[in-house]
């Protein structure tokens, strides 16, 4: 079973090369551009992510199909309203999937991979976690229970991922104001990848930015973005990039004195520390 995203990989690689070449002939002010080691790490992380996602995709299909079969109502793919419902429901699902992966440390240990680069370019979009296929599965299951055919869910997820690839660039400044007001844009997504205090945990949207405006997580780009993590990985080793936060999480859980603290490390936000007890 080949996913839509896998078909797009040659185009992704071509666009990465084109953007990298553009910095050679059209250097931008305050734009970081590309670093060959960083880009190689991103490419390798993306490749392994797709290799892992391939068999996991089969399990996801079975789960979605099973829930679809027991759904009280099956929505018709021939109806335009089904597609409209799916567009908004899937994008809202992505928002909460993304937000939870920033606010629950066990999930952040997986998602942190995508934020580990101190560069922001199209290759950064390919820097994907090797464990996200496992942590993402539960979030989209309710769409199958709504009666949306599984193939439609997978297609819309692919559309969202394809759209988000183009958000990872410094080559595009702000767009037309009405577009910036409704849709996620490179400017909004640069904020999301910032390690500046004012930019942390902002702009979780996939295609639309309206969810962030609605739920109070929106922030506009009003200062130079510092990309990466508050504590950077300091390594291009894919193993350390993929599992470094899991190792730190396990260390904190193992050395905690109380079960409440262990649960806090697992399910609290990144940076959570136990209360001091007298």
């Amino acid at each position: 079973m080949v996913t839509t995203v896998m078909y797009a990989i040659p185009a992704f690689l071509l666009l990465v090369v084109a953007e990298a070449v553009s910095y050679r002939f059209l250097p931008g002010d305050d734009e970081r551009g590309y670093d060959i080691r960083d880009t190689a790490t991103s490419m390798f992380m993306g490749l392994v992510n797709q290799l892992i996602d391939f068999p996991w995709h089969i399990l996801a299909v079975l789960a979605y199909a099973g829930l679809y079969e027991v759904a009280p109502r099956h929505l018709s793919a021939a109806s335009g309203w089904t597609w409209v419902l799916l567009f908004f429901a899937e994008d809202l699902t992505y928002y909460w999937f993304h937000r939870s992966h920033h606010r629950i440390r066990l999930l952040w240990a997986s998602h942190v991979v995508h934020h580990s680069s101190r560069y922001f370019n199209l290759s950064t979009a390919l820097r994907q976690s090797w464990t996200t296929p496992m942590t993402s599965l539960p979030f989209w299951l309710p769409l199958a229970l709504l009666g949306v055919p599984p193939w439609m869910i997978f297609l819309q997820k692919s559309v969202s991922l394809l759209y988000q690839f183009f958000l990872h660039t410094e080559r595009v400044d702000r767009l037309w104001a009405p577009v910036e007001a409704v849709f996620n844009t490179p400017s909004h997504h640069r904020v999301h990848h910032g390690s500046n205090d004012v930019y942390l945990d902002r702009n979780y949207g996939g295609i639309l930015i309206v969810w962030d405006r609605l739920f109070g997580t929106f922030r506009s780009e009003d200062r130079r973005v510092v990309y990466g993590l508050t504590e950077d990985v300091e390594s291009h080793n894919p193993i350390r990039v993929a599992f470094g936060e899991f190792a730190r999480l396990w260390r904190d859980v193992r050395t905690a004195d109380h079960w409440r603290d262990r649960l806090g490390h697992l399910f609290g936000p990144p940076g959570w520390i136990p209360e001091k007890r007298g």
Side-chain angles (χ1 to χ4, degrees), residues 49-261:
N49 168 271
Q50 286 300 299
L51 293 175
I52 293 172
D53 187 59
F54 185 78
W56 191 260
H57 197 78
I58 298 174
L59 177 60
V61 168
L62 294 174
Y64 285 35
L67 288 176
Y68 175 74
E69 287 301 317
V70 300
R73 180 179 179 183
H74 291 173
L75 301 179
S76 172
S79 171
W81 290 111
T82 302
W83 289 98
V84 172
L85 171 65
L86 175 60
F87 174 80
F88 286 102
E90 193 282 329
D91 204 60
L92 179 59
T93 297
Y94 179 83
Y95 172 88
W96 286 108
F97 153 80
H98 198 180
R99 184 169 176 172
S100 67
H101 277 65
H102 276 259
R103 301 304 299 157
I104 298 173
R105 191 179 175 192
L106 179 60
L107 300 179
W108 171 246
S110 173
H111 185 63
V112 68
V113 170
H114 184 59
H115 287 263
S116 61
S117 174
R118 283 179 285 189
Y119 292 79
F120 191 76
N121 51 54
L122 292 178
S123 77
T124 309
L126 307 180
R127 183 178 288 226
Q128 297 293 329
S129 167
W130 299 347
T131 54
T132 294
M134 298 77 163
T135 62
S136 65
L137 177 61
F139 289 88
W140 279 265
L141 292 177
L143 298 184
L145 277 176
L146 283 176
V148 180
W151 69 268
M152 290 180 62
I153 300 173
F154 286 111
L155 178 59
Q156 186 58 41
K157 286 181 66 178
S158 296
V159 169
S160 179
L161 290 174
L162 292 173
Y163 179 91
Q164 291 178 59
F165 172 80
F166 295 97
L167 301 177
H168 296 80
T169 182
E170 292 187 287
R171 305 262 75 184
V172 177
D173 201 356
R174 286 183 175 84
L175 301 177
W176 187 37
V179 175
E180 295 279 341
V182 176
F183 292 96
N184 200 4
T185 66
S187 176
H188 297 328
H189 205 57
R190 287 192 290 269
V191 167
H192 178 70
H193 275 257
S195 62
N196 317 52
D197 287 344
V198 295
Y199 288 160
L200 293 177
D201 298 322
R202 298 290 181 174
N203 300 0
Y204 297 115
I207 296 177
L208 301 176
I209 202 65
V210 294
W211 312 119
D212 289 283
R213 297 183 185 277
L214 180 62
F215 296 119
T217 53
F218 175 75
R219 174 83 189 202
S220 61
E221 184 182 21
D222 58 10
R223 65 196 68 188
R224 181 76 176 95
V225 181
V226 178
Y227 303 109
L229 306 170
T230 55
E231 295 183 18
D232 286 312
V233 177
E234 304 292 354
S235 175
H236 296 291
N237 184 326
I239 301 300
R240 290 190 62 184
V241 172
F243 301 114
E245 180 61 20
F246 280 107
R248 288 185 288 272
L249 174 58
W250 169 244
R251 178 198 62 203
D252 290 340
V253 170
R254 180 173 52 84
T255 58
D257 295 327
H258 305 276
W259 274 105
R260 181 190 304 175
D261 295 341

